[in-house]
Amino acid sequence: MNKIAIDLGSSVTKIYKIGSGIVLVEPSCVAVNTADSTVKAIGKDAKQLIGKTSDYTTTVFPVFEGEIVNEKLATTMLNHFLYKAGVKSGAEAVFCVHCGFDAGQKALYQKIASGCALRKVSFVESPILAGLGDDVPFTVYEPAFCIDIGHGVTDIAAFSSDGIIAGISMNVGGGSIDVHIIDHIADLYGIKIGSLTSESVKVNVGSLYDTDNQSMIVNGRDIASGKPCSKVVYAPNLFFPLQTHVDKVIEYALLVLGKLPAEVSAVIRKNGILLTGGMAKLAGIREYFEEHLQMEVHVGDEPQMSVILGGGRIVGNPDLLRRVRAEV
Ligand SMILES: Nc1ncnc2c1ncn2[C@@H]1O[C@H](COP(=O)(O)OP(=O)(O)OP(=O)(O)O)[C@@H](O)[C@H]1O
Ligand SMILES: [Mg+2]
């Protein structure tokens, strides 16, 4: 029987299979025929169609800001990914979920799991998994602190091997930054860019180092004339949208840190915090957090994979799973 971990991210789905490691990393995207609702493409094939579809096709992200918003398409998508990853029916699965996971979300996940022929499912909150995935030492006496900045959600939590001590989940992430970049570039240059271009400019040029000045040519539509046009976008042009959202995360992290019991606070101050999620790959973000939190900040080699790697660890460790799984 396969034992797997599944992270149904707002932007990227990741699957880990015991014995094989990470077996799938694909955009959580489905292209659907608007006339008869049939599925035209799933994963990277679907994401490539964003902003280029005719009236007959629409692209859907079945998970939006961390919530399952289209159970049927989420099931179709996950079934396709499990098949592609060679996962057999009847697998035991751990789902990586956000802080504040509730009974309503659990019911939706369980429907999806049964639609995908998964046998036994458990749920564990992302910060704990990120800590495990990045080998952060934590025990029942020695808590840890993690900030996971994904596409639709940022999870911030202090936790021990007994579970979450204090944590929150907020709807800020790479997705809200992409939207802000689109508006900001429109204001600066009078050019409307699409969401794929916005994500690409954020990943390739975005930086929180105020000395960075790398650039990229972006293509879009001139707002005044309606004609296709190109502009060079420089790193400092993106600083404001990036800083606005990252500052919000820092504000909430300080709020959680400020409410921790004194003993927990002391350990975290000594050991520092872990930063994970796709946004942890942004240039300069570690240093920016260190400066604003006045604490040591650690970023692993592959921060976007920390949570799913932790999922893989925990599905193979029933004792720890029993202790930290989310019971709602
Ligand atoms: N090098 C990079 N610099 C900045 N952002 C990046 C980089 N690489 C990826 N990202 C962003 O990280 C986000 C995806 O991260 P991640 O896979 O952790 O999210 P997710 O798990 O799908 O979403 P969520 O956890 O919010 O449901 C996207 O917004 C993507 O554009
Ligand atoms: Mg995530």
Side-chain angles (χ1 to χ4, degrees):
M1 194 226 338
N2 289 150
K3 282 190 172 194
I4 59 169
I6 302 169
D7 183 356
L8 272 181
S10 308
S11 161
V12 182
T13 294
K14 302 109 179 156
I15 299 177
Y16 186 106
K17 189 158 85 173
I18 294 272
S20 307
I22 295 173
V23 284
L24 182 121
V25 177
E26 285 244 18
S28 311
C29 188
V30 185
V32 180
N33 184 322
T34 44
D36 60 8
S37 301
T38 52
V39 170
K40 286 186 157 180
I42 299 178
K44 43 181 176 302
D45 296 339
K47 187 172 177 186
Q48 276 169 11
L49 295 173
I50 292 176
K52 301 166 203 147
T53 52
S54 70
D55 285 349
Y56 305 110
T57 307
T58 179
T59 47
V60 179
F61 282 83
V63 183
F64 180 70
E65 294 186 346
E67 306 246 346
I68 290 155
V69 289
N70 190 324
E71 180 211 315
K72 195 165 158 254
L73 285 181
T75 308
T76 305
M77 180 178 82
L78 185 56
N79 255 320
H80 172 80
F81 287 157
L82 291 170
Y83 173 77
K84 203 170 167 183
V87 176
K88 298 192 180 68
S89 77
E92 176 182 341
V94 165
F95 279 100
C96 313
V97 295
H98 297 292
C99 289
F101 178 68
D102 61 22
Q105 291 171 50
K106 183 177 176 181
L108 279 173
Y109 269 98
Q110 279 171 329
K111 277 192 192 167
I112 293 171
S114 84
C116 291
L118 298 172
R119 195 179 58 88
K120 185 176 159 201
V121 289
S122 317
F123 306 93
V124 182
E125 285 143 317
S126 296
I128 300 178
L129 296 176
L132 275 174
D134 274 347
D135 287 323
V136 169
F138 64 94
T139 63
V140 73
Y141 310 108
E142 181 111 352
F145 193 92
C146 172
I147 303 175
D148 182 81
I149 316 179
H151 186 74
V153 176
T154 293
D155 285 314
I156 304 171
F159 55 93
S160 72
S161 59
D162 210 25
I164 300 274
I165 298 167
I168 57 160
S169 178
M170 58 197 286
N171 292 344
V172 171
S176 47
I177 293 172
D178 295 348
V179 171
H180 197 163
I181 288 175
I182 292 173
D183 293 342
H184 195 62
I185 298 288
D187 287 347
L188 280 180
Y189 295 121
I191 166 174
K192 172 91 177 163
I193 58 169
S195 61
L196 289 185
T197 304
S198 173
E199 181 173 29
S200 165
V201 81
K202 171 192 70 183
V203 167
N204 293 302
V205 180
S207 171
L208 284 170
Y209 292 120
D210 49 18
T211 48
D212 269 353
N213 200 29
Q214 63 272 38
S215 64
M216 182 178 147
I217 296 171
V218 298
N219 299 311
R221 179 169 45 81
D222 185 274
I223 293 168
S225 71
K227 291 184 185 148
C229 71
S230 306
K231 283 275 183 285
V232 181
V233 172
Y234 295 88
N237 299 146
L238 305 175
F239 196 85
F240 177 66
L242 288 168
Q243 187 191 37
T244 306
H245 295 256
V246 170
D247 281 354
K248 238 180 248 170
V249 173
I250 288 170
E251 185 190 326
Y252 278 85
L254 286 169
L255 219 76
V256 177
L257 284 164
K259 289 197 170 148
L260 293 176
E263 295 295 352
V264 176
S265 201
V267 175
I268 288 162
R269 187 146 290 283
K270 173 169 73 74
N271 293 347
I273 69 168
L274 175 68
L275 188 61
T276 63
M279 279 298 299
K281 297 199 280 188
L282 180 74
I285 197 166
R286 188 183 68 75
E287 293 82 350
Y288 193 88
F289 268 82
E290 283 197 332
E291 188 190 328
H292 288 82
L293 293 178
Q294 288 292 299
M295 285 169 74
E296 211 175 306
V297 175
H298 309 280
V299 178
D301 293 340
E302 277 203 82
Q304 196 172 1
M305 297 302 138
S306 306
V307 168
I308 192 66
L309 287 172
R313 293 249 168 106
I314 211 154
V315 76
N317 186 340
D319 284 345
L320 184 59
L321 177 57
R322 219 168 293 122
R323 267 185 288 149
V324 300
R325 71 187 166 198
E327 305 279 6
V328 289

